[in-house]
Amino acid sequence: VGEGELLDGIVIRVHAKNTIVDRHGESVRCTVRGRFFENLERSMRPVAVGDRVRFRITGKGEGAIEEILPRRTKLSRPGIDKGGKEQVIAANVDQVVVVASIKNPPFRPGLVDRIFVAGRSGGLDTLLVLNKADEGAPDEIGELIAPYREIGVTVLVTSAASGEGIADLRQALADRTSVFSGPSGAGKSSLINAVQPGLRLRVGAVSDRTRKGRHTTTAVALLPLECGGYVVDTPGVREFGLWDVSREELDAFFPEIAPLAERCRFRRCSHVHEPDCAVKQALEGGAIRHLRYESYTRILETLD
Ligand SMILES: Nc1nc2c(ncn2[C@@H]2O[C@H](COP(=O)(O)OP(=O)(O)OP(=O)(O)O)[C@@H](O)[C@H]2O)c(=O)[nH]1
Ligand SMILES: [Mg+2]
Ligand SMILES: [Zn+2]
């Protein structure tokens, strides 16, 4: 590779000082040109894992990012530390895989629904993985996943411990780029290891982490899969704030609410207090689950 020529690459890791870019399986440690930091009013960082970039080689295994290509999709949340700016967790991913467990840590539908909204608003497909199937009775598992299957969400029931559902998960990940999200300890890294044992991602006991509030996975990383495609492992989340989702568009990200919204009397019906609301009628008639409607109204309250 000649020095000076512009090369294409994909960002696989973002550190404080430099960004790791992959080009055909080789990692290049890149700096990001200063001008990319100049127009960052709304965003924490100029590059995110998954970004397509053009870079120049500046030394052995080193380079400088000259161009960041437009993002096709993104999974974002408001950053906690830097005054509420956008934190792009991953760019150019096809689907968000929400990993949840049954009781250790306990299943939290509100958190699952928030990550789904963030994913859909960023242009991603959604997949729910209920892991630690070895810790739950079949009817208990059935109850947790029914509301999602009903609304057309693909749900996989897995156990990284017993191997249940791993072949299906591998198939769902093949030839696509997927970002894993969900609470700490649900088994995101364990599942990725089960899909591809050679990766040897670090996993940690759930009890340690609840005591010390520690997360085993500390950095976002893009990993190539032998079955084709990439997967992004991320640190666990306790809450998931929504970035750039308005009150008016929230209903569009609830698959069972969106088609009904057109039948409400008011065009900008919030489905909370308005008369002749098709969504509230469906709720009373049992066509929409209370759990899901509560998720919708809770999220609505947090949006301005
Ligand atoms: N019984 C059981 N334990 C599991 C299963 N999958 C993972 N675990 C255990 O759960 C703990 C947490 O797993 P991790 O893979 O580190 O969880 P994580 O979601 O990556 O956690 P963070 O990186 O902190 O977000 C570890 O002790 C795993 O061995 C499973 O299917 N069944
Ligand atoms: Mg992890
Ligand atoms: Zn309505």
Side-chain angles (χ1 to χ4, degrees):
V1 173
E3 220 173 277
E5 135 194 33
L6 266 185
L7 305 171
D8 292 312
I10 173 165
V11 173
I12 56 171
R13 242 173 214 280
V14 178
H15 298 298
K17 286 243 172 68
N18 43 52
T19 298
I20 310 300
V21 173
D22 176 88
R23 179 175 168 82
H24 307 318
E26 270 180 55
S27 294
V28 184
R29 189 172 291 270
C30 287
T31 56
V32 180
R33 294 291 190 207
R35 65 181 133 90
F36 291 113
F37 292 87
E38 281 159 21
N39 296 312
L40 271 185
E41 281 105 24
R42 294 204 351 125
S43 199
M44 275 170 67
R45 288 189 203 93
V47 283
V49 164
D51 266 330
R52 265 64 178 171
V53 297
R54 295 217 169 93
F55 66 99
R56 244 181 258 285
I57 296 289
T58 56
K60 196 171 183 303
E62 289 176 1
I65 293 173
E66 301 284 0
E67 206 179 319
I68 302 162
L69 303 183
R71 291 173 181 145
R72 188 169 53 82
T73 65
K74 59 183 179 176
L75 180 66
S76 291
R77 64 193 290 208
I80 7 160
D81 40 345
K82 296 203 175 168
K85 288 186 174 182
E86 180 182 21
Q87 178 192 2
V88 179
I89 297 164
N92 303 314
V93 281
D94 301 305
Q95 63 182 349
V96 59
V97 178
V98 178
V99 178
S101 51
I102 302 155
K103 45 171 138 2
N104 190 26
F107 189 77
R108 285 171 54 200
L111 180 62
V112 173
D113 294 343
R114 279 182 160 270
I115 302 173
F116 277 174
V117 169
R120 292 197 180 103
S121 88
L124 308 187
D125 291 336
T126 54
L127 175 68
L128 177 60
V129 174
L130 189 68
N131 188 39
K132 308 202 185 186
D134 53 291
E135 293 187 339
D139 55 339
E140 187 182 10
I141 293 172
E143 257 171 52
L144 293 180
I145 64 179
Y148 295 93
R149 289 212 165 135
E150 274 169 21
I151 59 168
V153 171
T154 304
V155 184
L156 298 180
V157 177
T158 63
S159 169
S162 78
E164 178 184 343
I166 299 303
D168 292 336
L169 178 59
R170 190 179 295 118
Q171 200 168 35
L173 301 179
D175 301 323
R176 318 189 71 193
T177 301
S178 309
V179 56
F180 277 49
S181 188
S184 187
K188 298 178 291 299
S189 302
S190 301
L191 285 171
I192 297 170
N193 280 338
V195 165
Q196 188 161 313
L199 285 172
R200 294 171 178 273
L201 300 175
R202 216 157 65 82
V203 303
V206 176
S207 56
D208 288 359
R209 115 187 49 217
T210 45
R211 264 205 308 276
K212 296 169 199 156
R214 203 175 44 195
H215 296 247
T216 304
T217 302
T218 53
V220 177
L222 183 80
L223 312 158
L225 292 174
E226 282 153 17
C227 60
Y230 292 87
V231 38
V232 182
D233 193 13
T234 70
V237 291
R238 215 168 270 132
E239 304 296 333
F240 206 103
L242 296 175
W243 178 261
D244 236 8
V245 176
S246 71
R247 290 176 62 86
E248 288 72 31
E249 69 182 330
L250 181 63
D251 57 11
F253 305 127
F254 282 74
E256 73 274 56
I257 296 181
L260 293 174
E262 290 160 25
R263 289 199 249 138
C264 295
R265 177 158 141 202
F266 297 104
R267 262 191 92 218
R268 294 187 128 200
C269 184
S270 70
H271 322 303
V272 178
H273 50 75
E274 295 88 343
D276 296 333
C277 169
V279 174
K280 280 195 291 177
Q281 281 160 13
L283 182 71
E284 278 150 32
I288 289 180
R289 292 225 185 208
H290 280 275
L291 191 75
R292 292 275 303 164
Y293 181 74
E294 268 165 38
S295 252
Y296 167 79
T297 55
R298 283 223 190 103
I299 295 173
L300 195 68
E301 280 165 18
T302 65
L303 302 177
D304 37 48

